[in-house]
Amino acid sequence: MTVTVPSLARSPSAAIKAKLDYPVIDTDVHTNDYTPAVEDYVARYGGNRLVDELRKASAERIERGNAGNGKSWYEQTAEERQYYRTIRAPWWARVTKNTWDVATYHLPELFYQRQAEQGSDYSVLFPNNVLAPLGVKDAGDRTALQRAINHYHADLYRPYADRLTPVAGIPLNTPQEGIAELEFAVKQLGLKAINISGSVRRPIRALADKYPADQYPELQKYISYQDFYGLDSEHDYDPFWAKVVELGVPVLTHYGSQGWVGRSSISSYMHNHIGHFADGSEAFAKALFFGGVTRRFPGLRVGLLEGGADWGARVYIHLVDRWHKRSKAGLENYDPAQTDRALFTELFGRYGKDLSRGRSIEGEDLIRDTLGARYTKDARQPRPEELEDFAAAGIESVEDIKKRWVDSFFFGSESDDRTVAHAFNDKANPLGVKINAIYSSDVGHWDVPDLTQVLAESHALVEEGAITEQDFKAWVFENPYKFYTEANPNFFKGTAVEAKLAARTERRADAAE
């Protein structure tokens, strides 16, 4: 049988791209590893034992780490699912009907050839194994496996570097672990972007001391909390963020919240899935903001993928609204010392005689019986450093919120995500700004049955009037370009993006003569 690559003429996305005078940058393309090849590579790094660690970590990741009786959700009875509260994970999560696409996500050369059908000039790749090592408990094995996986992907995609770049997976159980892998990935492997998990699960020490892991292994996931690195962490992650900025590396994450309270249905995967990337990334981003990370590292650029961009606008609006109420000046409205005791007593005496008959309405008695004991003069009140939630973020004005939220974070929106229109709603967003939505097609996952449709689906929002042509340009080119080059001005050096921009400049110069 003779096999030929599908014609560009049959790609709706290629037709849209042909009309654009700027490159299209896709920040989220998922590829799948050919298992024997990656396992052979891992074995050369650490032997068969390390391969076994990869297999165990991958299996646990698929099952979302459920506690149970050794059976998956699909193997359990309805009674067993209820008994163990086994969270439902997806069964069919990969494209299968479109055989060309199945092969494309496994074969770098084929994807390189078909990228024009996708409608992109440059794609940032997220191999599905990139963070699988995070499931390995032993720090030494985890580091070795992560390094092997990153090395494999760097070697695999190096011949296609003008159009494709894979991210490096970076473990952050400790900042030192992250720094070591970051330096290896960037300095030794030449990788340019990283993927991190939005948090690390850590034991609640008071409970872990009472129920040690070696005696109560099944309890550990339930007596833990999520450490989001930026706020309330037992570790100081500033050295890691400093190294990220020093090396000029954009940070990306697909951080979900399936299994969290409210997302732990034992029967509906969709119940658990819808909105979970937005919720997970919101928790991570707010920790960086309120912990002052984006204040201390204004050059840090973080891309939050697969959750859409509307939540970025929503949180920005809420930050501004709440700062007005809970800033130092705003908090004066809630200071117990601000209540005029004499006036309060007089008003109760005039309008509340029947209500308070037989009760003391003088001074602190009245305060205690209305506002509560916490508001009396003798009650312990917050110290100045405890008062303001915005202090670490260093917020003195709405412009500061814009700098430390809007400028620092970029929000990945999938090609068919209509909620991206909210990111561009400068009438609703404070200071009239637009949120940095970045084009993240998510091809390679079940969200995209046909890779040739993605750019066309995005441009359909222009045709329907949901966004403008300028918004579309910002989404698929200007914002992604800004995200990568603000972290690293040379990110696109030697790539198809640089070549296309140079050609455009030359055309414009010729037209001006």
Side-chain angles (χ1 to χ4, degrees):
M1 182 173 87
T2 302
V3 178
T4 57
V5 176
S7 169
L8 278 178
R10 295 204 299 268
S11 168
S13 293
I16 293 295
K17 181 174 175 292
K19 301 175 184 178
L20 307 178
D21 72 340
Y22 49 82
V24 173
I25 302 168
D26 191 342
T27 62
D28 187 12
V29 170
H30 290 274
T31 59
N32 201 43
D33 292 324
Y34 178 57
T35 301
V38 71
E39 289 188 348
D40 284 348
Y41 203 101
V42 169
R44 289 198 293 274
Y45 245 84
N48 291 333
R49 189 175 66 81
L50 203 58
V51 174
D52 289 339
E53 290 293 340
L54 173 62
R55 291 174 178 175
K56 286 189 292 186
S58 298
E60 182 174 321
R61 182 164 168 258
I62 291 171
E63 290 303 321
R64 301 288 191 271
N66 286 324
N69 55 353
K71 298 179 182 179
S72 72
W73 186 94
Y74 294 91
E75 295 168 326
Q76 290 178 341
T77 65
E79 292 75 20
E80 287 173 324
R81 295 166 190 161
Q82 189 71 252
Y83 183 76
Y84 291 104
R85 298 303 299 176
T86 308
I87 299 169
R88 187 174 185 183
W91 182 250
W92 292 332
R94 303 285 176 84
V95 174
T96 56
K97 183 177 180 179
N98 189 325
T99 306
W100 270 101
D101 285 4
V102 176
T104 298
Y105 302 140
H106 286 82
L107 302 170
E109 182 180 355
L110 180 58
F111 184 83
Y112 186 78
Q113 289 185 27
R114 296 192 68 204
Q115 193 181 32
E117 291 181 73
Q118 183 201 355
S120 296
D121 293 277
Y122 193 83
S123 298
V124 178
L125 309 178
F126 290 79
N128 285 326
N129 278 321
V130 72
L131 287 182
L134 298 189
V136 177
K137 302 295 188 294
D138 180 80
D141 288 344
R142 182 172 60 246
T143 297
L145 183 56
Q146 187 69 73
R147 189 155 295 188
I149 293 292
N150 287 340
H151 206 156
Y152 173 72
H153 292 142
D155 287 351
L156 186 66
Y157 290 101
R158 191 171 288 110
Y160 313 102
D162 62 323
R163 292 182 177 273
L164 309 176
T165 190
V167 297
I170 303 296
L172 281 177
N173 290 66
T174 67
Q176 293 74 26
E177 184 178 18
I179 289 170
E181 189 54 40
L182 177 65
E183 290 194 313
F184 178 78
V186 175
K187 295 179 179 179
Q188 301 299 318
L189 302 181
L191 295 173
K192 301 188 293 184
I194 64 172
N195 184 24
I196 66 171
S197 174
S199 76
V200 172
R201 186 191 293 274
R202 301 196 194 281
I204 299 173
R205 287 187 291 167
L207 294 175
D209 288 346
K210 188 175 182 179
Y211 303 103
D214 58 344
Q215 299 177 40
Y216 302 93
E218 72 281 1
L219 289 183
Q220 298 312 300
K221 66 176 289 187
Y222 302 105
I223 58 174
S224 62
Y225 70 98
Q226 302 292 339
D227 178 351
F228 296 105
Y229 314 120
L231 189 67
D232 308 325
S233 178
E234 296 181 13
H235 296 269
D236 177 9
Y237 278 91
D238 274 11
F240 175 76
W241 306 123
K243 182 61 66 173
V244 166
V245 174
E246 175 194 328
L247 295 178
V249 181
V251 179
L252 295 143
T253 186
H254 305 66
Y255 183 62
S257 58
Q258 290 192 61
W260 292 9
V261 174
R263 295 191 178 278
S264 55
S265 170
I266 66 171
S267 63
S268 175
Y269 166 53
M270 283 292 96
H271 174 278
N272 297 333
H273 183 273
I274 293 173
H276 87 104
F277 279 117
D279 285 353
S281 286
E282 179 181 325
F284 168 54
K286 286 191 299 189
L288 298 188
F289 176 86
F290 282 110
V293 174
T294 56
R295 174 181 64 82
R296 294 189 296 276
F297 302 99
L300 182 66
R301 292 296 176 264
V302 180
L304 306 145
L305 305 182
E306 294 198 20
D310 61 319
W311 72 266
R314 171 177 54 78
V315 174
Y316 172 51
I317 292 170
H318 288 328
L319 288 172
V320 172
D321 290 345
R322 281 156 175 73
W323 178 76
H324 282 301
K325 303 292 194 307
R326 306 295 295 186
S327 64
K328 290 179 181 177
L331 285 170
E332 292 183 5
N333 292 306
Y334 320 112
D335 185 347
Q338 296 293 324
T339 303
D340 185 327
R341 265 63 173 174
L343 176 59
F344 199 26
T345 297
E346 181 183 341
L347 293 172
F348 249 77
R350 181 182 304 177
Y351 299 105
K353 288 181 180 179
D354 292 339
L355 187 65
S356 60
R357 192 179 306 278
R359 300 278 186 180
S360 169
I361 58 171
E362 297 297 325
E364 300 312 296
D365 292 337
L366 182 57
I367 294 294
R368 183 189 60 247
D369 292 341
T370 52
L371 299 178
R374 291 172 53 220
Y375 288 80
T376 61
K377 289 181 178 179
D378 293 336
R380 193 274 197 190
Q381 299 300 333
R383 292 184 287 271
E385 68 273 15
E386 296 173 329
L387 272 174
E388 196 202 348
D389 284 331
F390 290 86
I395 306 302
E396 300 292 339
S397 66
V398 175
E399 286 76 13
D400 289 336
I401 298 176
K402 186 262 182 187
K403 290 175 186 176
R404 286 152 203 170
W405 183 267
V406 177
D407 295 356
S408 297
F409 297 121
F410 291 71
F411 304 89
S413 289
E414 296 175 17
S415 57
D416 61 348
D417 185 356
R418 301 181 63 83
T419 67
V420 73
H422 297 296
F424 298 117
N425 187 354
D426 52 4
K427 293 181 176 61
N429 296 333
L431 302 179
V433 304
K434 297 186 178 186
I435 300 300
N436 292 315
I438 53 177
Y439 179 61
S440 307
S441 71
D442 205 33
V443 297
H445 282 172
W446 59 259
D447 309 64
V448 185
D450 184 344
L451 70 79
T452 69
Q453 298 286 337
V454 288
L455 191 67
E457 287 180 329
S458 299
H459 196 265
L461 298 182
V462 177
E463 297 158 12
E464 296 166 12
I467 61 175
T468 67
E469 195 72 57
Q470 182 54 50
D471 293 336
F472 178 77
K473 181 180 181 180
W475 183 15
V476 304
F477 164 56
E478 291 175 338
N479 289 346
Y481 186 82
K482 179 170 65 171
F483 170 63
Y484 291 108
T485 57
E486 285 185 352
N488 174 8
N490 295 317
F491 190 91
F492 292 108
K493 186 175 180 60
T495 71
V497 172
E498 182 183 55
K500 190 160 188 175
L501 291 176
R504 183 179 68 170
T505 300
E506 185 176 341
R507 286 195 306 272
R508 290 178 175 178
D510 291 343
E513 292 179 357

